[in-house]
């Protein structure tokens, strides 16, 4: 039987989740981490898209047009004159007395009608197709600024992913140590319940022997009920805390997990100084905090937005080339077949007057840059304040731990003396209950102090931007 219990304990120890394993699970399964990963991929694609603006663009287009009238090269009077030129010539020849005028008139009328038919365009059904190549030469610096913005956008996405990582680790650490704290408090509540139950049994014996009153027994019974209620509350809190930790780790919320530090009697020892110089800590935070990096990215992006707006003042130069084909063939008497022509050229656009539209855009972009700079300075000051506060909390947690450890030792000695005095009949049950309550409070404060040490260190690491897996 003992061998089976030993094997069970060994299995629990092997399956216990350490803080590092919880962190790995959270980073792997956290949905926000997945969102951050997709955003980085999106920013990478936007950067690749911006690079293509340097390259020539090739576009193909096609069209079909049906018109109610066809294009006529000859006017109606010209058509009539050509169609009747033989008749007119015959009248002239007849006046001159020349023979065979009727035959000559018919021949000339046929020639004129042939000329009119030759100028028939037949373009009511028109087809067109073209392939056009455009190569930007100078776009006022807008393409360069756009590419810099894309690079900054990718950098910002990476910083956002880092911020999400640190936030996830921070949540995991808090949830982990909360479970550990409640697990220790559960054991403490169980120990306290056993103490008051033992006292309740001792007082019951004394009541039966007539050396204690029923009122003494009722006082102890009330303490037993309070201890049972406290244990129930701790168990409920522990169950909820484990559910939250499982949710953060991507596990089934109803999974009964065991943590590696649950049975660690010494959760925290004296804190070693993480960084003695506050100024150096502020510099570390300025270099590592992803939030500050993202705001700096925003400032740099706003500067490039100003450059893009200023490009509206500049001329734009592009090289063009292409091939255009039409049907009817306008290059061969409107023949019903496709035919085309190559073309190359230079297109220059010079802004002359736009009612100060560009000026307003430049001013708006500069306003946005000022806003981004102010936000960066504001957050930087808040980060410096946060670093100082976290240092204060670290020192405070260390002091509380030392005091709580000393208080626990005194409470244990006080409880030992109270139990001894009660057994020897020189102390009352109320004295023992007071000693038990003081012992419970001291032990609880020690657990809180140990957890505060852990969490204060986590808070300082997050404030410095050094909270990594």
């Amino acid at each position: 039987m003992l061998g089976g219990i030993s094997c069970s304990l060994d299995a629990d120890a092997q399956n216990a989740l350490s803080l590092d394993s919880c962190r790995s699970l959270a980073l792997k399964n956290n949905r926000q981490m997945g969102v951050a990963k997709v955003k980085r991929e999106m920013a990478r694609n936007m950067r690749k898209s911006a690079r293509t603006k340097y390259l020539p663009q090739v576009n193909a287009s096609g069209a079909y047009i049906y018109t109610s009238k066809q294009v006529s090269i000859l006017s109606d009077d010209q058509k009539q004159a050509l169609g009747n030129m033989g008749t007119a010539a015959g009248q002239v020849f007849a006046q001159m007395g020349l023979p065979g005028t009727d035959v000559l008139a018919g021949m000339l009328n046929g020639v004129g009608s042939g000329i009119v038919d030759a100028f028939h365009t037949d373009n009511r059904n028109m087809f067109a197709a073209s392939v056009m190549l455009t190569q930007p030469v100078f776009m006022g610096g807008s393409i360069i600024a756009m590419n810099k913005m894309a690079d900054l956008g990718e950098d910002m996405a990476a910083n956002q992913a880092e911020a999400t990582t640190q936030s996830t680790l921070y949540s995991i650490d808090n949830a982990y140590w909360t479970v550990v704290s409640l697990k220790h408090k559960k054991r403490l509540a169980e120990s306290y319940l056993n103490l008051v139950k033992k006292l309740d049994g001792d007082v019951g014996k004394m009541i039966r022997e007539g050396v204690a009153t029923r009122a003494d027994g009722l006082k102890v019974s009330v303490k037993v009920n309070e201890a049972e209620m406290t244990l129930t509350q701790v168990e409920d809190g522990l169950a909820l805390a484990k559910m939250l930790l499982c949710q953060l780790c991507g596990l089934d919320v109803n999974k009964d997990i065991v943590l590696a530090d649950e049975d660690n009697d010494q959760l925290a020892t004296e804190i070693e100084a993480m960084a003695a110089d506050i100024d150096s800590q502020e510099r570390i935070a300025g270099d590592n905090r992803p939030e500050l990096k993202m705001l700096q990215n925003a400032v740099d992006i706003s500067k490039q937005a100003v450059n893009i707006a200023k490009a509206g003042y500049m001329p734009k130069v592009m090289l063009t080339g292409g091939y255009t084909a039409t049907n009817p063939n306008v290059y061969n008497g409107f023949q019903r077949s496709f035919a085309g022509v190559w073309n190359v050229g230079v297109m220059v656009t010079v802004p002359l007057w736009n009612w100060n539209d560009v000026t307003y855009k430049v001013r708006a972009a500069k306003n946005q840059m000022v806003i981004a700079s102010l936000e960066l300075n504001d957050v930087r000051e808040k980060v410096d304040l946060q670093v100082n506060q976290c240092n204060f909390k670290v020192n405070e947690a260390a002091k509380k731990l030392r005091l709580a450890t000393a208080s626990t030792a005194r409470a244990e000695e006080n409880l030992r003396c109270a139990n001894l005095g009660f057994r020897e009949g020189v102390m009352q049950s109320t004295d023992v209950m007071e000693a038990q309550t003081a012992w419970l409070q001291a032990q609880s404060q020690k657990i809180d102090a140990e957890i505060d040490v852990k969490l204060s260190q986590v808070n300082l690491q997050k404030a410095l931007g050094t909270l990594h897996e």
Side-chain angles (χ1 to χ4, degrees):
M1 181 65 181
L2 291 176
I5 295 176
S6 176
C7 292
S8 176
L9 292 175
D10 291 340
D12 289 340
Q14 292 176 357
N15 297 327
L17 291 174
S18 65
L19 179 59
D20 290 338
S21 61
C22 287
R23 285 180 164 191
S24 298
L25 287 172
L27 294 178
K28 178 181 178 181
N29 299 314
N30 185 274
R31 290 182 177 87
Q32 290 303 315
M33 291 299 300
V35 171
K37 182 179 180 181
V38 174
K39 286 184 177 180
R40 291 191 67 178
E41 182 64 24
M42 181 175 66
R44 189 177 299 112
N45 289 323
M46 292 298 295
R47 188 254 303 163
K48 292 179 179 179
S49 173
R51 293 291 189 272
T52 64
K53 304 306 179 184
Y54 288 115
L55 305 175
Q57 305 293 317
V58 180
N59 298 296
S61 60
Y64 165 76
I65 301 175
Y66 175 81
T67 58
S68 60
K69 293 182 179 180
Q70 63 183 6
V71 176
S72 179
I73 298 176
L74 301 176
S75 66
D76 291 340
D77 292 341
Q78 290 173 332
K79 291 178 182 179
Q80 185 176 5
L82 287 172
N84 295 323
M85 70 176 184
T87 302
Q91 293 176 354
V92 174
F93 292 156
Q95 292 176 359
M96 295 174 62
L98 296 176
T101 57
D102 293 338
V103 175
L104 181 60
M107 292 175 60
L108 290 176
N109 284 339
V111 172
S113 297
I115 294 174
V116 171
D117 291 339
F119 278 97
H120 179 70
T121 58
D122 189 20
N123 63 345
R124 294 180 64 185
N125 293 282
M126 295 188 65
F127 300 87
S130 67
V131 177
M132 181 65 67
L133 180 146
T134 304
Q135 172 62 59
V137 177
F138 178 74
M139 302 300 289
S142 60
I143 295 180
I144 296 175
M146 187 186 305
N147 275 270
K148 290 181 178 179
M149 288 180 69
D151 293 339
L152 292 168
E154 187 175 11
D155 192 24
M156 179 180 284
N159 291 327
Q160 185 176 14
E162 176 62 22
T164 303
T165 298
Q166 294 197 18
S167 178
T168 301
L169 295 177
Y170 180 76
S171 299
I172 279 293
D173 284 22
N174 277 272
Y176 180 90
W177 292 116
T178 298
V179 172
V180 172
S181 173
L182 290 172
K183 181 66 176 181
H184 281 72
K185 288 190 175 182
K186 178 186 175 183
R187 289 210 308 268
L188 177 61
E190 290 171 344
S191 298
Y192 178 69
L193 179 59
N194 292 332
L195 286 176
V196 294
K197 281 185 175 180
K198 184 178 183 302
L199 179 61
D200 184 52
D202 293 339
V203 172
K205 294 178 182 178
M206 295 173 66
I207 292 174
R208 288 191 294 272
E209 294 174 359
V211 295
T213 65
R214 183 170 177 81
D216 294 331
L218 291 175
K219 291 179 182 179
V220 178
S221 297
V222 169
K223 285 294 182 180
V224 172
N225 292 335
E226 291 177 353
E228 290 175 344
M229 180 61 69
T230 300
L231 178 59
T232 300
Q233 291 174 344
V234 172
E235 288 175 341
D236 292 342
L238 178 60
L240 293 174
K242 284 189 174 183
M243 287 182 181
L244 175 60
L245 182 60
C246 288
Q247 189 271 330
L248 293 174
C249 292
L251 303 174
D252 184 0
V253 294
N254 295 317
K255 183 179 178 61
D256 186 17
I257 58 175
V258 178
L259 302 185
D261 291 296
E262 284 185 3
D263 298 322
N264 186 0
D265 293 330
Q266 194 71 18
L267 294 178
T269 57
E270 190 71 20
I271 300 178
E272 296 181 359
M274 300 184 67
D277 187 3
I278 295 297
D279 292 335
S280 65
Q281 285 185 334
E282 291 177 353
R283 287 193 295 271
I284 291 173
D287 294 336
N288 291 286
R289 282 293 291 266
E291 296 88 348
L292 293 177
K293 292 180 180 179
M294 291 170 62
L295 289 171
Q296 184 61 56
N297 293 146
V299 172
D300 295 337
I301 287 175
S302 64
K303 290 179 181 178
Q304 298 305 320
V306 172
N307 293 333
I308 290 178
K310 287 181 177 179
Y313 291 123
M314 307 297 290
K316 297 174 178 58
V317 181
M318 290 187 294
L319 298 177
T320 62
Y323 181 82
T324 303
T326 62
N327 185 350
N329 181 1
V330 297
Y331 307 105
N332 190 21
F334 291 90
Q335 182 181 3
R336 296 303 301 181
S337 63
F338 277 99
V341 61
W342 294 96
N343 62 84
V344 294
V346 178
M347 184 169 64
V348 180
T349 303
V350 179
L352 298 178
W353 181 251
N354 51 33
W355 301 100
N356 287 331
D357 174 61
V358 176
T359 301
Y360 298 142
K361 289 180 178 178
V362 170
R363 290 176 182 175
K366 287 183 177 179
N367 292 337
Q368 183 60 44
M369 182 177 65
V370 172
I371 292 173
S373 299
L374 291 174
E375 290 178 345
L376 173 60
N377 293 332
D378 180 58
V379 173
R380 183 176 286 119
E381 291 178 357
K382 291 179 179 178
V383 166
D384 292 342
L385 177 61
Q386 187 181 38
V387 170
N388 283 274
Q389 290 175 336
C390 289
N391 273 287
F392 177 80
K393 292 294 184 181
V394 167
N395 295 328
E396 183 183 32
K399 184 177 180 180
K400 285 183 177 180
L401 179 58
R402 290 192 294 268
L403 294 175
T405 302
S407 178
T408 300
R410 289 193 295 268
E412 289 177 349
E413 179 62 19
N414 182 41
L415 179 60
R416 187 188 68 81
C417 293
N419 287 326
L420 181 61
F422 180 71
R423 286 196 298 269
E424 294 178 354
V426 296
M427 298 186 72
Q428 301 295 322
S429 59
T430 54
D431 297 325
V432 177
M433 286 188 293
E434 289 177 359
Q436 290 174 341
T437 302
W439 174 84
L440 174 65
Q441 184 177 6
Q443 292 289 343
S444 180
Q445 289 176 347
K446 182 174 182 293
I447 293 173
D448 290 338
E450 291 175 327
I451 297 300
D452 283 345
V453 167
K454 294 292 186 181
L455 295 183
S456 65
Q457 291 173 328
V458 173
N459 290 333
L460 181 56
Q461 287 178 336
K462 188 174 187 299
L464 296 175
T466 57
L467 185 60
H468 303 294
E469 185 179 8

